Amino acid sequence: MSAQALHKRLVAGGSSVGLSTVYRTLTALAEAGRADIFRDSNGERLFRHRPGPDHRHYLICTECGLSLPVESGPVEKWAERIARTSGFADVRHAVEVSGRCPDCRPKDDQARTP
């Protein structure tokens, strides 16, 4: 969800919270590991609740925003190796895998996929 969409919901529900407060709060949640940030096809930052402390990677639909967790063991091992061999500390990484989900793909495109 975007900060603007969340702000709109809050205001519709009677809250007087400002948009900048929503941005700051969502960013703080991401920094605390309670939300993930990713970008949509227009480059807008979207925020997704992180249900636990584990770092996850997702396959994200660029049309509807559906996100599915994916197995990411090789990515995690690669990031750990880079951190270990570079001498850097507090190394973080973000990997985005995106495309169009089956519901958003054109039907003729789906027919060609085995």
Side-chain angles (χ1 to χ4, degrees):
M1 173 175 286
S2 69
Q4 293 92 343
L6 179 56
H7 179 256
K8 187 176 182 178
R9 278 191 189 179
L10 291 169
V11 170
S15 176
S16 62
V17 67
L19 179 57
S20 61
T21 300
V22 173
Y23 268 111
R24 278 194 308 273
T25 302
L26 290 172
T27 300
L29 286 169
E31 289 172 354
R34 301 303 299 159
D36 291 316
I37 300 173
F38 62 99
R39 297 201 181 267
D40 67 9
S41 59
N42 297 320
E44 181 177 13
R45 287 187 315 164
L46 301 177
F47 297 83
R48 175 183 44 239
H49 174 253
R50 186 184 292 176
D54 296 341
H55 174 75
R56 292 185 175 175
H57 296 281
Y58 294 86
L59 177 59
I60 303 163
C61 179
T62 56
E63 298 290 322
C64 69
L66 173 69
S67 61
L68 302 173
V70 296
E71 193 281 316
S72 59
V75 170
E76 298 303 326
K77 288 178 183 171
W78 171 81
E80 290 169 8
R81 181 174 45 81
I82 295 297
R84 189 175 56 255
T85 60
S86 69
F88 277 59
D90 303 320
V91 173
R92 295 181 299 274
H93 67 275
V95 175
E96 289 188 10
V97 182
S98 60
R100 288 184 291 166
C101 72
D103 290 339
C104 294
R105 285 177 42 203
K107 298 302 178 205
D108 61 330
D109 184 35
Q110 290 183 37
R112 288 192 300 262
T113 302

